[in-house]
Amino acid sequence: MFKNVIYKNAIINPLLMLGAMWLGYFLQMQGFFASCFGAIIPLLPEGLLGIITSPLLHGSIDHIIGNSIPIAVLMGLLYQFYPLVANKVFILGWLATGLLLWMLPPIDILTGEYMYTCTIGASGIVYVLAFFLFFSGVFKWNMTLLTISLLVVLYYGSLIWGMFPEELFYNMQEPSKISWQAHLSGAVVGSILAFVFKNVGDKKKKYIWEFPNYYSEKDDKLWQEYKENHPEDFLELPYKKNEDLWDHLEEIRKK
C-alpha cells in the first residue's frame, strides 16, 4: 500500500482547501461576512447557507491556524490512502456535517434554554476526516490502513474531548464559544462514511488457498511427488521415549 509516489491530489486538494479557508478569512477581515452571514444558524432558514460557507469562515487568526494544520494533514492522508472515495468522503462529509449541525437544537446545557448561535469554522470537517481515517482502517483491517488509524489516534486522539460540552468539565459563567455540536456531527458523519465505504478500495487481502473447498491439481501433484521421494518423512514411529525418537531421526539423516 505504501507507494514510492505521492498522489498529486494528496498535495493539491489540501492546498486548495487551505487557500479557500484563508481567502474566506481575508474577506471576513474586509467586512464581506458581517454578523452571522455565512454561518450555520441551527433550525433557521437563514442558517442553511452556512452548510456550504461556514467551514471557510473563522473567528480569529488562532482559530484558522488551529484548523489549517489538521486539515492539511488529514486531507493529505485521505487523498493518498483512499483515492477511490476521497472526493465522496470530503464532499459528503462537508455537507452532511453542516446539515446535521443545522438540525441540532442549540440548547444551553446549564439552563436548558434555546440559544441563538452562529457556528463557523472547519473543525467539523476535521472531525469527519479523523474519524473516517480511524474507523476505515479498523473496518478494512488492512495493516497499512491500520497504521494510518494509529497515527490519527496518536496525534489527534484528544479530539474526542471536543465532542462534549466544556461546561461538563469546567465551571463556566457563560456558555463556551466552542461548538461541540459541530465536532459531534463531524465524528458521527465520519464514522458512518467509514462504514459505508468499508468495501471500497484496499482491504485485507485473502489468498486463494484461504477460501473453503480450495483445491489445486498442481499442488496436489507436487504433494504426491514429495511423498514418493521422501517416504521417511511419513514413517510411523513406534518409539515412545524421546531418546529413541532422536536416535531414529539421526539414522535417517546419515543415510
Side-chain angles (χ1 to χ4, degrees):
M1 182 65 188
F2 284 115
K3 300 180 183 290
N4 295 323
V5 62
I6 297 178
Y7 295 131
K8 64 178 182 180
N9 285 340
I11 298 177
I12 294 175
N13 290 345
L15 290 177
L16 289 176
M17 180 61 182
L18 291 178
M21 288 166 55
W22 282 90
L23 176 60
Y25 182 69
F26 174 78
L27 293 176
Q28 279 181 277
M29 297 301 99
Q30 304 306 311
F32 284 89
F33 291 92
S35 187
C36 282
F37 179 68
I40 293 178
I41 308 172
L43 304 178
L44 296 179
E46 56 265 34
L48 287 171
L49 175 63
I51 294 174
I52 298 174
T53 58
S54 65
L56 306 179
L57 308 177
H58 291 81
S60 66
I61 188 68
D62 290 337
H63 189 196
I64 190 170
I65 290 176
N67 281 335
S68 293
I69 297 174
I71 281 288
V73 173
L74 296 174
M75 279 190 69
L77 292 174
L78 175 69
Y79 279 91
Q80 177 65 25
F81 294 100
Y82 296 90
L84 297 179
V85 299
N87 284 331
K88 294 179 182 178
V89 169
F90 184 69
I91 295 173
L92 289 175
W94 181 320
L95 297 178
T97 298
L99 180 60
L100 181 58
L101 175 58
W102 181 83
M103 295 171 62
L104 291 176
I107 302 297
D108 184 347
I109 66 168
L110 296 178
T111 64
E113 298 178 355
Y114 172 86
M115 300 184 300
Y116 182 88
T117 60
C118 306
T119 303
I120 56 176
S123 58
I125 296 179
V126 170
Y127 274 76
V128 170
L129 299 175
F131 275 74
F132 173 83
L133 289 169
F134 172 74
F135 281 108
S136 190
V138 173
F139 291 151
K140 291 176 182 292
W141 208 250
N142 174 293
M143 294 311 298
T144 299
L145 301 181
L146 275 172
T147 302
I148 302 303
S149 298
L150 293 175
L151 287 175
V152 170
V153 170
L154 179 63
Y155 288 100
Y156 297 107
S158 60
L159 288 176
I160 192 170
W161 300 112
M163 296 162 49
F164 304 98
E166 283 191 301
E167 293 87 342
L168 294 178
F169 309 104
Y170 307 103
N171 251 336
M172 306 183 69
Q173 300 300 319
E174 56 185 32
S176 170
K177 294 182 179 180
I178 298 176
S179 177
W180 63 270
Q181 295 95 332
H183 301 167
L184 179 61
S185 299
V188 170
V189 171
S191 303
I192 292 174
L193 289 174
F195 180 79
V196 170
F197 294 116
K198 64 184 176 68
N199 293 323
V200 180
D202 289 328
K203 48 184 178 292
K204 182 182 178 182
K205 291 182 179 179
K206 189 171 184 179
Y207 297 97
I208 188 171
W209 56 81
E210 296 182 89
F211 287 89
N213 303 320
Y214 165 76
Y215 175 77
S216 169
E217 184 177 354
K218 181 179 179 180
D219 290 348
D220 187 54
K221 183 178 179 181
L222 290 173
W223 176 245
Q224 297 302 326
E225 290 179 356
Y226 180 84
K227 290 174 67 176
E228 292 176 4
N229 296 329
H230 302 84
E232 67 276 8
D233 292 344
F234 301 91
L235 290 176
E236 293 186 8
L237 303 179
Y239 307 104
K240 295 182 180 179
K241 296 182 179 180
N242 288 336
E243 55 270 20
D244 293 333
L245 175 60
W246 286 112
D247 290 341
H248 179 73
L249 291 177
E250 186 65 20
E251 291 176 5
I252 294 175
R253 188 184 67 81
K254 291 178 179 179
K255 287 182 179 180

